[in-house]
Amino acid sequence: MSFGQGGPSWGPGGTQTPDWAALADESATRSRRKKWLLIGGGVLATAAVGAIVATAVISTNNGTSSTGSGKNGSELPAPSDLPNNTAEPEPSFSSVAPPPPPDPKDYISDVKKDRAPITVDAFFPGKKLTMGDRVYAKGATQQTKNCAATTKGALGSILVNNGCDQVIRATYSKDGVAVTVGLAVFETEAQAKKAARQSSGSIATLSGAGVPAFCPTGSVCRRTANSYGRYAYFAISGFTSGKNITKADKNAFATGDDLTNFTFRQIRHRGELQASAAAAAPAA
């Protein structure tokens, strides 16, 4: 039995054996072709689905979707849809600046504001004075309205001519050095400043209460003058032995500086107390 040209040559009565290897290769080729066709179709299908999804997303963002309830196609309201007012009130700030705290110096610069009592103990309290590691014993004190009587030389007339109201004196001593401080009170700062600037002569020493007389006429003693607010203060320091003070006597200079510094602090503290009281007082 024979078939036409080009056909297979096996079967009953055939004279040739089928080429099994060729048949196997042909079958494998057909299988691979089907597999690639399936994979290619899947890729195309996936790309098509992705394109559809992307189109839907773009359409949604452009406001063409029919599923969104807002202008942007989402469930969240647009900024223009949000309420302008909230339940909490907005903070408010006063445009009026608070008044500045009282200046302590204002209360010791004019008699109209400086109303605290003027006494020896108000300026020179206690029985001793401690400045750092130095302790000074307090001697005699005096308060008088006869300003000229508390001075030596031209200082008396200077105080009187500038309207001195009264003078408080206090003496302190340590290690053979004594200092008398005279605190002159005026009505205004200008008067006190002028009296200190014109200073000539000195405050008179005040002995007693354990301090002997010092700085007799003709001796060399240290004299200083200054003012703060409506108060002018003068000091004279010297040795209780009558020895003259020289620039080499550091202890004598330190004693005078301590007493004048303390007097200044007491005047300033007086202003601070009155300023604090004014700040704490209820508004009228």
Side-chain angles (χ1 to χ4, degrees), residues 76-140:
L76 295 177
S80 60
D81 296 336
L82 295 175
N84 293 326
N85 298 325
T86 60
E88 294 294 331
E90 295 183 358
S92 60
F93 302 94
S94 174
S95 60
V96 180
D103 185 355
K105 192 177 180 183
D106 289 345
Y107 289 85
I108 53 171
S109 297
D110 194 301
V111 68
K112 294 178 181 178
K113 281 191 173 183
D114 187 12
R115 309 303 296 172
I118 296 176
T119 65
V120 171
D121 287 339
F123 292 95
F124 305 104
K127 295 181 179 180
K128 61 182 180 180
L129 171 64
T130 301
M131 297 288 287
D133 59 350
R134 300 175 297 280
V135 180
Y136 300 97
K138 184 178 177 181

Side-chain angles (χ1 to χ4, degrees), residues 25-45:
D25 289 341
E26 185 178 353
S27 176
T29 299
R30 286 196 302 269
S31 297
R32 282 196 298 271
R33 186 180 296 115
K34 290 180 180 180
K35 181 178 181 181
W36 283 113
L37 287 174
L38 290 174
I39 293 174
V43 170
L44 291 175

Side-chain angles (χ1 to χ4, degrees), residues 22-257:
L23 292 175
D25 289 341
E26 185 178 353
S27 176
T29 299
R30 286 196 302 269
S31 297
R32 282 196 298 271
R33 186 180 296 115
K34 290 180 180 180
K35 181 178 181 181
W36 283 113
L37 287 174
L38 290 174
I39 293 174
V43 170
L44 291 175
T46 302
V49 172
I52 294 171
V53 172
T55 301
V57 171
I58 293 172
S59 299
T60 299
N61 289 336
N62 288 334
T64 59
S65 172
S66 61
T67 59
S69 60
K71 294 180 180 180
N72 293 326
S74 64
E75 295 298 329
L76 295 177
S80 60
D81 296 336
L82 295 175
N84 293 326
N85 298 325
T86 60
E88 294 294 331
E90 295 183 358
S92 60
F93 302 94
S94 174
S95 60
V96 180
D103 185 355
K105 192 177 180 183
D106 289 345
Y107 289 85
I108 53 171
S109 297
D110 194 301
V111 68
K112 294 178 181 178
K113 281 191 173 183
D114 187 12
R115 309 303 296 172
I118 296 176
T119 65
V120 171
D121 287 339
F123 292 95
F124 305 104
K127 295 181 179 180
K128 61 182 180 180
L129 171 64
T130 301
M131 297 288 287
D133 59 350
R134 300 175 297 280
V135 180
Y136 300 97
K138 184 178 177 181
T141 61
Q142 182 196 51
Q143 182 174 3
T144 179
K145 290 185 175 294
N146 187 354
C147 297
T150 65
T151 66
K152 286 183 178 181
L155 184 58
S157 60
I158 292 172
L159 296 183
V160 173
N161 293 338
N162 284 288
C164 177
D165 179 66
Q166 59 179 303
V167 173
I168 297 175
R169 287 189 294 170
T171 298
Y172 292 84
S173 65
K174 178 181 182 297
D175 298 334
V177 178
V179 179
T180 295
V181 177
L183 182 70
V185 185
F186 299 85
E187 288 191 356
T188 67
E189 180 181 17
Q191 291 172 319
K193 187 177 295 186
K194 187 177 179 180
R197 187 173 62 248
Q198 295 177 342
S199 178
S200 180
S202 69
I203 200 76
T205 60
L206 184 64
S207 58
V211 180
F214 61 102
C215 292
T217 302
S219 63
V220 177
C221 291
R222 187 187 182 210
R223 298 169 177 84
T224 62
N226 214 326
S227 69
Y228 188 69
R230 70 186 188 107
Y231 300 90
Y233 51 101
F234 309 87
I236 181 170
S237 54
F239 290 104
T240 56
S241 64
K243 172 186 172 182
N244 292 334
I245 287 182
T246 67
K247 292 182 178 180
D249 296 316
K250 304 299 183 183
N251 288 339
F253 277 78
T255 299
D257 290 343

Side-chain angles (χ1 to χ4, degrees), residues 248-271:
D249 296 316
K250 304 299 183 183
N251 288 339
F253 277 78
T255 299
D257 290 343
D258 280 348
L259 266 297
T260 54
N261 287 339
F262 173 73
T263 303
F264 164 75
R265 293 178 187 179
Q266 289 297 96
I267 299 171
R268 185 179 62 183
H269 183 59
R270 176 183 178 88

